[in-house]
Amino acid sequence: MSRSAHPAGPRHADVLPEGHYSAPPADLNSLDPKVWSRTVSRDALGVVTVGGIDVKTLAEDHGTPAYVLDEADFRDRARAWRTAFGADADVFYAGKAFLSRAVVRWLHEEGLNLDVCSGGELATALSAGMPADRIAFHGNNKSTEEIERAVRAGVGRIVLDSFQEIVRVAHIAQSLGKRQRVQIRITVGVEAHTHEFIATAHEDQKFGIPLAGGQAAEAVRRALKLDGLELIGIHSHIGSQIFDMSGFEVAAHRVVGLLKEIRDEHGVELPEIDLGGGLGIAYTSDDDPREPHEIAKALTEIVTRECESARLRTPRISVEPGRAIVGPTAFTLYEVGTVKPLDGLRTYVSVDGGMSDNIRTALYDAEYSVALVSRVSDAAPMLSRVVGKHCESGDIVVKDAFLPSDLAPGDLIAVPATGAYCRSMASNYNHVLRPPVVAVHEGQARVIVRRETEDDLLRLDVG
Ligand code: LLP
Protein backbone atom coordinates (compact mmCIF):
# COMPACT_ATOMS: atom_id res chain seq x y z
CA MET A 1 0.00 0.00 0.00
CA SER A 2 1.23 3.48 -0.74
CA ARG A 3 1.16 4.47 2.92
CA SER A 4 3.82 1.95 3.89
CA ALA A 5 6.08 2.57 0.90
CA HIS A 6 5.72 5.58 -1.29
CA PRO A 7 8.29 5.12 -4.04
CA ALA A 8 9.67 8.28 -5.51
CA GLY A 9 10.17 8.76 -9.21
CA PRO A 10 8.27 10.17 -12.12
CA ARG A 11 6.09 7.15 -12.88
CA HIS A 12 5.30 6.06 -9.34
CA ALA A 13 1.64 6.91 -9.52
CA ASP A 14 0.58 5.91 -12.98
CA VAL A 15 -1.66 3.00 -12.09
CA LEU A 16 -5.23 3.66 -11.12
CA PRO A 17 -6.83 1.32 -8.59
CA GLU A 18 -8.44 -1.50 -10.50
CA GLY A 19 -12.00 -0.79 -11.53
CA HIS A 20 -11.91 2.66 -10.02
CA TYR A 21 -12.77 5.82 -11.89
CA SER A 22 -12.41 3.90 -15.10
CA ALA A 23 -14.89 6.29 -16.64
CA PRO A 24 -15.55 9.91 -15.80
CA PRO A 25 -18.94 10.76 -14.29
CA ALA A 26 -21.66 11.65 -16.80
CA ASP A 27 -21.86 15.24 -15.59
CA LEU A 28 -18.88 16.90 -13.96
CA ASN A 29 -21.03 19.77 -12.75
CA SER A 30 -23.44 17.64 -10.76
CA LEU A 31 -23.12 17.48 -6.98
CA ASP A 32 -24.02 14.10 -5.54
CA PRO A 33 -26.20 14.75 -2.45
CA LYS A 34 -24.62 11.69 -0.85
CA VAL A 35 -21.28 13.42 -0.44
CA TRP A 36 -22.25 17.11 -0.27
CA SER A 37 -23.89 18.74 2.73
CA ARG A 38 -27.61 19.19 2.48
CA THR A 39 -27.92 22.89 1.66
CA VAL A 40 -25.40 22.71 -1.20
CA SER A 41 -26.58 23.51 -4.72
CA ARG A 42 -25.57 25.62 -7.74
CA ASP A 43 -27.08 29.06 -8.25
CA ALA A 44 -28.34 30.44 -11.57
CA LEU A 45 -24.76 31.33 -12.58
CA GLY A 46 -23.49 27.86 -11.75
CA VAL A 47 -21.66 28.92 -8.60
CA VAL A 48 -22.01 26.53 -5.67
CA THR A 49 -23.88 27.90 -2.68
CA VAL A 50 -24.15 26.50 0.82
CA GLY A 51 -26.35 27.76 3.62
CA GLY A 52 -27.54 30.42 1.19
CA ILE A 53 -24.06 31.86 0.49
CA ASP A 54 -22.02 31.34 -2.64
CA VAL A 55 -18.47 30.05 -2.46
CA LYS A 56 -16.99 33.07 -4.25
CA THR A 57 -18.31 35.32 -1.49
CA LEU A 58 -17.03 32.91 1.13
CA ALA A 59 -13.58 32.87 -0.48
CA GLU A 60 -13.50 36.66 -0.75
CA ASP A 61 -14.60 37.21 2.83
CA HIS A 62 -12.70 34.42 4.55
CA GLY A 63 -9.91 33.39 2.19
CA THR A 64 -8.91 29.90 1.12
CA PRO A 65 -8.36 27.22 2.09
CA ALA A 66 -11.31 27.13 4.45
CA TYR A 67 -13.49 24.45 5.96
CA VAL A 68 -17.10 25.42 5.30
CA LEU A 69 -19.51 23.86 7.77
CA ASP A 70 -23.24 23.68 7.09
CA GLU A 71 -24.85 24.34 10.48
CA ALA A 72 -28.37 23.28 9.47
CA ASP A 73 -27.02 19.97 8.21
CA PHE A 74 -25.01 19.42 11.38
CA ARG A 75 -28.05 20.10 13.56
CA ASP A 76 -30.27 17.89 11.38
CA ARG A 77 -27.88 14.97 11.60
CA ALA A 78 -27.35 15.39 15.34
CA ARG A 79 -31.12 15.53 15.85
CA ALA A 80 -31.67 12.51 13.60
CA TRP A 81 -29.36 10.43 15.81
CA ARG A 82 -31.01 11.74 18.97
CA THR A 83 -34.50 11.01 17.65
CA ALA A 84 -33.56 7.62 16.25
CA PHE A 85 -32.25 6.38 19.59
CA GLY A 86 -35.05 7.97 21.64
CA ALA A 87 -35.36 8.66 25.33
CA ASP A 88 -34.11 5.26 26.46
CA ALA A 89 -30.67 5.69 24.95
CA ASP A 90 -27.91 8.29 24.88
CA VAL A 91 -25.99 9.69 21.93
CA PHE A 92 -22.51 10.93 22.75
CA TYR A 93 -21.00 12.91 19.87
CA ALA A 94 -17.31 11.94 19.57
CA GLY A 95 -15.52 15.26 19.84
CA LYS A 96 -12.33 13.91 18.28
CA ALA A 97 -14.01 14.09 14.86
CA PHE A 98 -14.28 17.87 15.19
CA LEU A 99 -14.75 19.99 18.28
CA SER A 100 -15.27 23.69 18.76
CA ARG A 101 -17.31 25.73 21.19
CA ALA A 102 -20.01 26.48 18.64
CA VAL A 103 -20.37 22.76 17.95
CA VAL A 104 -20.64 22.05 21.68
CA ARG A 105 -23.49 24.57 21.94
CA TRP A 106 -25.32 23.04 18.97
CA LEU A 107 -24.97 19.58 20.52
CA HIS A 108 -26.24 20.83 23.86
CA GLU A 109 -29.23 22.46 22.19
CA GLU A 110 -29.99 19.33 20.18
CA GLY A 111 -29.93 17.13 23.29
CA LEU A 112 -26.75 15.17 22.61
CA ASN A 113 -24.04 14.25 25.07
CA LEU A 114 -20.33 14.52 24.39
CA ASP A 115 -17.40 12.12 24.36
CA VAL A 116 -14.04 13.80 25.03
CA CYS A 117 -10.65 12.13 25.08
CA SER A 118 -8.21 14.72 26.38
CA GLY A 119 -7.91 17.63 28.76
CA GLY A 120 -8.12 19.98 25.77
CA GLU A 121 -11.42 18.52 24.59
CA LEU A 122 -12.76 18.58 28.15
CA ALA A 123 -11.79 22.25 28.51
CA THR A 124 -13.54 23.10 25.22
CA ALA A 125 -16.69 21.24 26.27
CA LEU A 126 -16.87 22.85 29.70
CA SER A 127 -16.05 26.33 28.45
CA ALA A 128 -18.97 26.14 26.01
CA GLY A 129 -21.38 25.15 28.76
CA MET A 130 -21.85 21.43 28.18
CA PRO A 131 -23.12 20.15 31.55
CA ALA A 132 -20.40 17.93 33.02
CA ASP A 133 -22.79 15.08 33.69
CA ARG A 134 -23.38 14.80 29.93
CA ILE A 135 -19.67 14.31 29.24
CA ALA A 136 -17.89 10.96 28.92
CA PHE A 137 -14.13 10.98 29.36
CA HIS A 138 -12.14 8.55 27.21
CA GLY A 139 -8.51 7.74 26.48
CA ASN A 140 -6.02 4.94 26.93
CA ASN A 141 -3.56 7.04 28.91
CA LYS A 142 -5.34 9.83 30.73
CA SER A 143 -2.95 11.76 32.90
CA THR A 144 -3.49 12.03 36.64
CA GLU A 145 -4.13 15.72 36.13
CA GLU A 146 -6.76 15.02 33.45
CA ILE A 147 -8.50 12.47 35.65
CA GLU A 148 -8.51 14.88 38.57
CA ARG A 149 -10.04 17.64 36.44
CA ALA A 150 -12.68 15.29 35.06
CA VAL A 151 -13.63 14.00 38.51
CA ARG A 152 -13.70 17.48 40.03
CA ALA A 153 -15.83 18.75 37.14
CA GLY A 154 -18.26 15.88 37.78
CA VAL A 155 -18.19 14.20 34.37
CA GLY A 156 -20.99 11.71 33.83
CA ARG A 157 -18.62 8.85 33.20
CA ILE A 158 -14.99 8.00 32.84
CA VAL A 159 -14.31 5.09 30.52
CA LEU A 160 -11.59 2.97 32.13
CA ASP A 161 -9.07 1.56 29.71
CA SER A 162 -6.54 -0.41 31.79
CA PHE A 163 -5.98 -2.09 35.13
CA GLN A 164 -3.76 0.78 36.24
CA GLU A 165 -6.48 3.27 35.42
CA ILE A 166 -9.05 1.42 37.52
CA VAL A 167 -6.88 2.02 40.58
CA ARG A 168 -5.87 5.52 39.55
CA VAL A 169 -9.40 6.80 39.04
CA ALA A 170 -10.63 5.09 42.22
CA HIS A 171 -7.83 6.65 44.22
CA ILE A 172 -8.35 10.14 42.82
CA ALA A 173 -12.12 10.00 43.28
CA GLN A 174 -11.76 8.79 46.83
CA SER A 175 -9.22 11.43 47.72
CA LEU A 176 -11.65 14.05 46.41
CA GLY A 177 -14.44 12.51 48.48
CA LYS A 178 -16.32 11.41 45.37
CA ARG A 179 -17.68 8.26 43.82
CA GLN A 180 -17.02 8.38 40.07
CA ARG A 181 -19.38 6.75 37.59
CA VAL A 182 -17.29 4.59 35.26
CA GLN A 183 -17.55 2.14 32.40
CA ILE A 184 -14.90 -0.39 31.50
CA ARG A 185 -13.80 -0.46 27.87
CA ILE A 186 -13.28 -3.99 26.70
CA THR A 187 -11.91 -5.39 23.46
CA VAL A 188 -14.29 -7.99 22.22
CA GLY A 189 -12.06 -9.56 19.57
CA VAL A 190 -13.92 -8.16 16.57
CA GLU A 191 -11.93 -6.79 13.71
CA ALA A 192 -14.09 -4.24 11.97
CA HIS A 193 -14.05 -4.04 8.19
CA THR A 194 -11.99 -0.94 7.90
CA HIS A 195 -8.45 0.31 7.65
CA GLU A 196 -6.21 -1.56 10.07
CA PHE A 197 -5.13 1.66 11.81
CA ILE A 198 -8.66 2.53 12.83
CA ALA A 199 -10.02 -0.87 13.78
CA THR A 200 -9.86 -1.02 17.54
CA ALA A 201 -11.54 -4.03 19.05
CA HIS A 202 -9.31 -6.82 17.83
CA GLU A 203 -6.94 -7.79 20.55
CA ASP A 204 -3.49 -6.81 19.32
CA GLN A 205 -3.79 -3.09 19.94
CA LYS A 206 -3.59 -0.53 22.70
CA PHE A 207 -7.22 0.14 23.60
CA GLY A 208 -9.35 -1.47 26.26
CA ILE A 209 -9.09 -4.62 28.32
CA PRO A 210 -9.39 -7.91 26.42
CA LEU A 211 -12.42 -10.04 27.01
CA ALA A 212 -10.21 -13.00 26.20
CA GLY A 213 -8.55 -14.87 29.03
CA GLY A 214 -10.98 -13.55 31.62
CA GLN A 215 -9.21 -10.18 31.78
CA ALA A 216 -12.34 -8.09 31.40
CA ALA A 217 -14.09 -10.16 34.09
CA GLU A 218 -11.12 -9.55 36.38
CA ALA A 219 -11.28 -5.81 35.68
CA VAL A 220 -14.96 -5.83 36.67
CA ARG A 221 -14.13 -7.75 39.86
CA ARG A 222 -11.58 -5.12 40.84
CA ALA A 223 -13.73 -2.13 39.92
CA LEU A 224 -16.69 -3.45 41.91
CA LYS A 225 -14.54 -3.63 45.03
CA LEU A 226 -13.34 -0.03 44.96
CA ASP A 227 -15.28 2.58 46.93
CA GLY A 228 -14.25 5.44 44.65
CA LEU A 229 -15.96 3.83 41.63
CA GLU A 230 -19.55 3.24 40.63
CA LEU A 231 -19.38 0.77 37.77
CA ILE A 232 -22.32 1.56 35.49
CA GLY A 233 -21.53 -0.40 32.37
CA ILE A 234 -19.34 -1.93 29.70
CA HIS A 235 -18.00 -0.11 26.67
CA SER A 236 -16.94 -1.44 23.28
CA HIS A 237 -15.79 0.46 20.20
CA ILE A 238 -14.93 -1.74 17.24
CA GLY A 239 -13.49 0.67 14.69
CA SER A 240 -14.33 3.47 12.32
CA GLN A 241 -15.86 4.07 8.87
CA ILE A 242 -17.82 0.81 9.14
CA PHE A 243 -20.78 0.00 6.88
CA ASP A 244 -21.44 -3.58 7.86
CA MET A 245 -23.49 -4.06 11.05
CA SER A 246 -22.27 -7.60 11.65
CA GLY A 247 -19.26 -6.41 13.67
CA PHE A 248 -21.62 -4.65 16.07
CA GLU A 249 -23.72 -7.77 16.28
CA VAL A 250 -20.77 -9.87 17.42
CA ALA A 251 -19.60 -7.12 19.77
CA ALA A 252 -23.05 -6.81 21.38
CA HIS A 253 -23.26 -10.57 21.75
CA ARG A 254 -19.94 -10.65 23.59
CA VAL A 255 -20.63 -7.60 25.77
CA VAL A 256 -23.96 -9.07 26.83
CA GLY A 257 -22.16 -12.35 27.54
CA LEU A 258 -19.94 -10.46 29.97
CA LEU A 259 -22.96 -8.76 31.59
CA LYS A 260 -24.40 -12.20 32.16
CA GLU A 261 -21.16 -13.45 33.73
CA ILE A 262 -21.18 -10.40 35.99
CA ARG A 263 -24.77 -11.07 37.04
CA ASP A 264 -24.00 -14.71 37.75
CA GLU A 265 -20.83 -13.98 39.72
CA HIS A 266 -21.74 -10.78 41.56
CA GLY A 267 -25.53 -10.67 41.48
CA VAL A 268 -25.30 -7.26 39.79
CA GLU A 269 -26.96 -6.27 36.52
CA LEU A 270 -24.97 -3.37 35.09
CA PRO A 271 -27.41 -0.76 33.78
CA GLU A 272 -25.55 0.52 30.69
CA ILE A 273 -23.84 -0.66 27.54
CA ASP A 274 -21.99 1.58 25.14
CA LEU A 275 -21.38 0.33 21.61
CA GLY A 276 -19.05 3.15 20.59
CA GLY A 277 -19.04 4.95 17.27
CA GLY A 278 -17.62 4.05 13.89
CA LEU A 279 -20.52 4.30 11.45
CA GLY A 280 -19.36 5.07 7.93
CA ILE A 281 -20.19 7.99 5.65
CA ALA A 282 -20.04 8.52 1.90
CA TYR A 283 -16.77 10.01 0.71
CA THR A 284 -17.52 9.12 -2.90
CA SER A 285 -20.66 8.14 -4.78
CA ASP A 286 -19.66 4.48 -4.37
CA ASP A 287 -20.26 4.51 -0.59
CA ASP A 288 -23.66 3.60 0.82
CA PRO A 289 -24.00 4.60 4.46
CA ARG A 290 -26.97 3.68 6.62
CA GLU A 291 -29.37 6.19 8.10
CA PRO A 292 -29.39 6.76 11.88
CA HIS A 293 -32.87 5.24 12.28
CA GLU A 294 -31.71 2.02 10.58
CA ILE A 295 -28.64 1.89 12.78
CA ALA A 296 -30.63 2.58 15.94
CA LYS A 297 -33.15 -0.09 15.04
CA ALA A 298 -30.46 -2.65 14.27
CA LEU A 299 -28.42 -1.97 17.43
CA THR A 300 -31.44 -1.87 19.71
CA GLU A 301 -32.76 -5.13 18.27
CA ILE A 302 -29.40 -6.84 18.63
CA VAL A 303 -28.98 -5.81 22.28
CA THR A 304 -32.59 -6.59 23.20
CA ARG A 305 -32.43 -10.01 21.59
CA GLU A 306 -29.11 -10.86 23.23
CA CYS A 307 -30.39 -9.74 26.63
CA GLU A 308 -33.61 -11.69 26.31
CA SER A 309 -31.75 -14.86 25.53
CA ALA A 310 -29.41 -14.22 28.49
CA ARG A 311 -32.42 -13.35 30.70
CA LEU A 312 -31.03 -9.94 31.51
CA ARG A 313 -32.88 -6.65 31.79
CA THR A 314 -32.03 -4.68 28.64
CA PRO A 315 -29.47 -2.07 29.65
CA ARG A 316 -29.59 1.55 28.55
CA ILE A 317 -27.68 1.78 25.27
CA SER A 318 -25.34 4.55 24.30
CA VAL A 319 -23.48 5.22 21.08
CA GLU A 320 -20.68 7.60 20.11
CA PRO A 321 -20.94 8.71 16.49
CA GLY A 322 -18.43 11.35 15.41
CA ARG A 323 -17.84 11.08 11.67
CA ALA A 324 -21.46 10.16 10.90
CA ILE A 325 -22.64 13.48 12.34
CA VAL A 326 -20.01 16.01 11.33
CA GLY A 327 -18.27 14.32 8.38
CA PRO A 328 -20.78 15.08 5.63
CA THR A 329 -21.56 18.59 6.91
CA ALA A 330 -18.40 20.34 5.71
CA PHE A 331 -16.30 20.75 2.60
CA THR A 332 -12.87 22.24 2.16
CA LEU A 333 -12.74 25.17 -0.22
CA TYR A 334 -9.44 25.61 -2.08
CA GLU A 335 -8.13 27.91 -4.77
CA VAL A 336 -6.31 26.30 -7.66
CA GLY A 337 -2.73 27.57 -7.90
CA THR A 338 -1.17 25.52 -10.69
CA VAL A 339 -2.38 22.99 -13.24
CA LYS A 340 0.33 20.67 -14.49
CA PRO A 341 -0.51 18.08 -17.18
CA LEU A 342 1.87 15.13 -17.27
CA ASP A 343 1.59 13.54 -20.69
CA GLY A 344 -0.01 10.12 -20.67
CA LEU A 345 -0.41 10.13 -16.89
CA ARG A 346 -2.70 12.69 -15.35
CA THR A 347 -2.93 16.36 -14.48
CA TYR A 348 -1.64 17.58 -11.15
CA VAL A 349 -3.83 20.30 -9.70
CA SER A 350 -2.12 22.15 -6.85
CA VAL A 351 -4.25 23.85 -4.23
CA ASP A 352 -3.38 26.28 -1.46
CA GLY A 353 -3.66 23.70 1.35
CA GLY A 354 -2.88 19.99 1.39
CA MET A 355 -1.83 17.36 3.87
CA SER A 356 -1.80 19.93 6.68
CA ASP A 357 -5.58 20.38 6.39
CA ASN A 358 -6.38 16.83 5.28
CA ILE A 359 -3.93 14.12 6.32
CA ARG A 360 -6.41 11.31 5.74
CA THR A 361 -5.45 10.60 2.13
CA ALA A 362 -1.77 10.23 3.00
CA LEU A 363 -2.41 8.40 6.24
CA TYR A 364 -5.21 5.98 5.35
CA ASP A 365 -5.33 6.00 1.56
CA ALA A 366 -8.68 7.69 2.02
CA GLU A 367 -10.74 8.46 -1.07
CA TYR A 368 -12.40 11.80 -1.64
CA SER A 369 -14.46 13.50 -4.31
CA VAL A 370 -13.82 16.96 -5.72
CA ALA A 371 -15.66 19.48 -7.88
CA LEU A 372 -15.11 22.80 -9.55
CA VAL A 373 -17.39 25.09 -7.54
CA SER A 374 -16.81 28.67 -8.72
CA ARG A 375 -18.39 28.03 -12.13
CA VAL A 376 -19.76 25.29 -14.34
CA SER A 377 -17.82 23.95 -17.28
CA ASP A 378 -18.63 22.02 -20.42
CA ALA A 379 -15.00 21.10 -21.03
CA ALA A 380 -14.01 17.45 -21.35
CA PRO A 381 -13.13 15.54 -18.19
CA MET A 382 -9.48 15.49 -17.25
CA LEU A 383 -8.00 12.77 -15.07
CA SER A 384 -6.59 14.70 -12.14
CA ARG A 385 -4.82 14.41 -8.86
CA VAL A 386 -5.43 17.18 -6.35
CA VAL A 387 -2.25 17.90 -4.44
CA GLY A 388 -1.23 20.41 -1.79
CA LYS A 389 1.57 22.90 -1.40
CA HIS A 390 3.75 20.88 0.98
CA CYS A 391 7.27 19.73 0.33
CA GLU A 392 6.37 16.11 0.05
CA SER A 393 5.26 14.03 -2.92
CA GLY A 394 2.76 12.14 -0.75
CA ASP A 395 0.95 15.43 -0.17
CA ILE A 396 -2.20 14.30 -1.95
CA VAL A 397 -5.72 15.47 -1.15
CA VAL A 398 -7.68 13.58 -3.82
CA LYS A 399 -5.82 10.76 -5.46
CA ASP A 400 -7.99 10.10 -8.52
CA ALA A 401 -10.62 12.47 -9.75
CA PHE A 402 -12.01 14.00 -12.90
CA LEU A 403 -12.07 17.76 -13.22
CA PRO A 404 -12.90 19.82 -16.32
CA SER A 405 -9.97 20.26 -18.67
CA ASP A 406 -10.36 24.06 -18.74
CA LEU A 407 -9.53 24.23 -15.03
CA ALA A 408 -7.25 27.20 -14.43
CA PRO A 409 -5.41 28.99 -11.64
CA GLY A 410 -7.87 31.07 -9.65
CA ASP A 411 -10.72 28.57 -9.95
CA LEU A 412 -12.23 27.39 -6.69
CA ILE A 413 -12.56 23.68 -6.12
CA ALA A 414 -14.05 21.94 -3.10
CA VAL A 415 -13.55 18.57 -1.47
CA PRO A 416 -16.73 17.37 0.27
CA ALA A 417 -17.12 15.24 3.41
CA THR A 418 -14.19 16.81 5.23
CA GLY A 419 -16.06 17.65 8.44
CA ALA A 420 -14.54 14.78 10.41
CA TYR A 421 -10.89 14.19 11.21
CA CYS A 422 -9.60 16.95 8.95
CA ARG A 423 -9.51 20.14 11.04
CA SER A 424 -9.11 17.99 14.16
CA MET A 425 -6.03 16.28 12.65
CA ALA A 426 -4.64 19.38 10.95
CA SER A 427 -1.00 20.30 11.42
CA ASN A 428 1.41 23.14 10.83
CA TYR A 429 3.67 21.12 8.56
CA ASN A 430 5.96 23.45 6.60
CA HIS A 431 4.59 26.21 8.86
CA VAL A 432 1.48 26.29 6.72
CA LEU A 433 -1.32 27.98 8.65
CA ARG A 434 -4.35 25.95 9.62
CA PRO A 435 -7.53 27.07 7.82
CA PRO A 436 -10.55 28.55 9.55
CA VAL A 437 -13.84 26.80 10.06
CA VAL A 438 -16.61 28.97 8.69
CA ALA A 439 -20.14 28.00 9.69
CA VAL A 440 -22.87 28.95 7.26
CA HIS A 441 -26.52 29.15 8.16
CA GLU A 442 -29.49 30.81 6.46
CA GLY A 443 -27.46 33.32 4.47
CA GLN A 444 -25.00 34.14 7.26
CA ALA A 445 -21.38 33.02 7.52
CA ARG A 446 -19.65 33.00 10.87
CA VAL A 447 -16.06 32.06 11.66
CA ILE A 448 -16.20 29.51 14.48
CA VAL A 449 -12.50 28.67 14.44
CA ARG A 450 -10.36 31.43 13.00
CA ARG A 451 -7.53 31.02 10.54
CA GLU A 452 -4.14 30.57 12.13
CA THR A 453 -1.75 33.46 11.63
CA GLU A 454 2.00 33.75 11.46
CA ASP A 455 1.77 35.56 14.80
CA ASP A 456 0.18 32.42 16.25
CA LEU A 457 3.15 30.39 15.03
CA LEU A 458 5.69 32.86 16.33
CA ARG A 459 3.96 33.16 19.69
CA LEU A 460 4.64 29.47 20.39
CA ASP A 461 8.23 29.78 19.20
CA VAL A 462 9.73 31.46 22.22
CA GLY A 463 13.18 31.73 20.74
N1 LLP B 1 -15.81 6.31 20.39
C1 LLP B 1 -14.53 5.97 20.56
C2 LLP B 1 -14.13 5.33 21.81
C3 LLP B 1 -13.59 6.20 19.56
O1 LLP B 1 -12.33 5.85 19.74
C4 LLP B 1 -14.01 6.83 18.35
C5 LLP B 1 -13.05 7.09 17.28
C6 LLP B 1 -15.35 7.19 18.23
C7 LLP B 1 -16.23 6.91 19.25
C8 LLP B 1 -15.90 7.88 17.01
O2 LLP B 1 -15.74 7.15 15.84
P1 LLP B 1 -16.47 7.67 14.50
O3 LLP B 1 -17.94 7.55 14.69
O4 LLP B 1 -16.07 9.10 14.30
O5 LLP B 1 -15.93 6.79 13.45
N2 LLP B 1 -8.73 9.46 12.44
C9 LLP B 1 -9.46 8.34 11.88
C10 LLP B 1 -10.56 7.89 12.78
C11 LLP B 1 -10.09 7.54 14.17
C12 LLP B 1 -11.23 7.21 15.06
C13 LLP B 1 -10.78 7.14 16.46
N3 LLP B 1 -11.82 6.84 17.37
C14 LLP B 1 -10.00 8.74 10.51
O6 LLP B 1 -9.74 9.87 10.08
O7 LLP B 1 -10.63 7.96 9.83
Side-chain angles (χ1 to χ4, degrees):
M1 262 198 201
S2 60
R3 76 184 144 70
S4 50
H6 191 81
R11 301 190 69 85
H12 72 275
D14 57 353
V15 186
L16 282 179
E18 213 177 311
H20 198 74
Y21 286 115
S22 47
D27 178 6
L28 281 184
N29 298 312
S30 75
L31 302 165
D32 185 346
K34 256 200 219 174
V35 296
W36 292 89
S37 74
R38 288 184 184 145
T39 70
V40 164
S41 63
R42 286 194 191 265
D43 67 15
L45 299 171
V47 181
V48 167
T49 72
V50 55
I53 309 179
D54 74 80
V55 292
K56 285 184 167 178
T57 306
L58 287 169
E60 263 162 39
D61 293 352
H62 301 285
T64 55
Y67 302 102
V68 181
L69 178 58
D70 184 340
E71 178 180 342
D73 193 16
F74 184 99
R75 286 181 181 271
D76 277 358
R77 289 176 196 271
R79 204 175 308 130
W81 276 84
R82 187 75 210 91
T83 311
F85 278 87
D88 296 330
D90 298 299
V91 180
F92 286 77
Y93 168 79
K96 66 208 79 183
F98 172 66
L99 198 64
S100 78
R101 289 194 273 195
V103 158
V104 173
R105 284 185 213 108
W106 301 342
L107 292 164
H108 187 190
E109 286 165 17
E110 300 299 339
L112 276 75
N113 297 355
L114 182 61
D115 143 9
V116 300
C117 68
S118 70
E121 288 187 356
L122 179 64
T124 306
L126 293 174
S127 82
M130 179 59 85
D133 63 355
R134 284 171 50 187
I135 298 175
F137 196 74
H138 268 281
N140 68 301
N141 188 18
K142 308 167 189 76
S143 70
T144 305
E145 194 264 329
E146 285 173 326
I147 296 169
E148 230 177 82
R149 272 165 65 199
V151 174
R152 272 187 207 280
V155 297
R157 63 171 77 149
I158 293 180
V159 183
L160 302 172
D161 198 89
S162 65
F163 282 99
Q164 285 91 351
E165 205 170 74
I166 293 173
V167 181
R168 236 172 249 162
V169 173
H171 177 74
I172 290 170
Q174 211 170 6
S175 65
L176 293 173
K178 297 207 179 200
R179 190 146 187 260
Q180 177 61 48
R181 288 160 65 84
V182 295
Q183 293 189 338
I184 295 177
R185 177 165 175 178
I186 67 166
T187 38
V188 294
V190 173
E191 185 159 358
H193 293 240
T194 183
H195 190 288
E196 75 176 279
F197 289 178
I198 49 181
T200 49
H202 59 288
E203 274 128 10
D204 190 3
Q205 46 91 16
K206 68 173 185 169
F207 291 108
I209 299 179
L211 190 58
Q215 293 192 64
E218 176 58 21
V220 169
R221 226 166 268 138
R222 293 189 195 179
L224 285 172
K225 280 198 197 118
L226 293 166
D227 291 338
L229 305 182
E230 179 188 351
L231 180 61
I232 56 167
I234 300 295
H235 182 286
S236 153
H237 171 78
I238 58 169
S240 212
Q241 185 59 4
I242 302 166
F243 293 107
D244 181 354
M245 297 301 287
S246 62
F248 290 98
E249 183 142 14
V250 179
H253 174 75
R254 295 189 180 160
V255 171
V256 171
L258 178 63
L259 292 184
K260 184 167 179 289
E261 265 183 59
I262 296 168
R263 194 259 329 264
D264 294 347
E265 181 177 340
H266 307 280
V268 177
E269 291 200 27
L270 296 184
E272 292 185 13
I273 152 173
D274 190 313
L275 293 172
L279 284 312
I281 62 162
Y283 284 102
T284 73
S285 299
D286 294 338
D287 295 325
D288 271 313
R290 297 224 188 165
E291 292 296 322
H293 68 267
E294 295 174 90
I295 295 160
K297 185 164 178 283
L299 291 182
T300 311
E301 275 174 15
I302 294 166
V303 174
T304 310
R305 192 183 61 225
E306 292 293 331
C307 287
E308 270 167 15
S309 76
R311 297 209 168 74
L312 282 167
R313 266 195 305 277
T314 304
R316 189 174 176 86
I317 300 173
S318 46
V319 286
E320 297 170 342
R323 186 192 322 262
I325 293 177
V326 71
T329 69
F331 59 77
T332 315
L333 184 62
Y334 299 104
E335 184 177 299
V336 174
T338 67
V339 179
K340 192 184 286 183
L342 296 187
D343 281 350
L345 291 174
R346 71 188 78 234
T347 297
Y348 278 78
V349 174
S350 293
V351 295
D352 44 2
M355 66 196 300
S356 54
D357 60 70
N358 187 349
I359 190 65
R360 298 194 68 260
T361 309
L363 195 56
Y364 312 122
D365 261 338
E367 288 183 359
Y368 282 92
S369 319
V370 60
L372 169 62
V373 290
S374 47
R375 61 186 173 92
V376 283
S377 165
D378 294 330
M382 154 178 96
L383 178 60
S384 311
R385 175 160 291 175
V386 179
V387 296
K389 60 182 286 160
H390 295 275
C391 293
E392 184 147 333
S393 54
D395 172 25
I396 296 169
V397 180
V398 187
K399 206 164 159 198
D400 300 304
F402 285 96
L403 282 164
S405 55
D406 62 352
L407 194 76
D411 277 332
L412 298 175
I413 62 175
V415 175
T418 58
Y421 303 110
C422 286
R423 180 57 179 80
S424 67
M425 293 175 81
S427 76
N428 288 123
Y429 185 37
N430 297 145
H431 283 203
V432 169
L433 306 167
R434 285 178 292 179
V437 181
V438 181
V440 291
H441 190 49
E442 294 175 350
Q444 304 287 323
R446 181 163 67 101
V447 176
I448 60 170
V449 179
R450 74 159 166 78
R451 184 183 301 284
E452 208 159 28
T453 62
E454 285 175 5
D455 280 346
D456 291 330
L457 291 184
L458 294 174
R459 206 169 297 137
L460 294 181
D461 180 341
V462 293

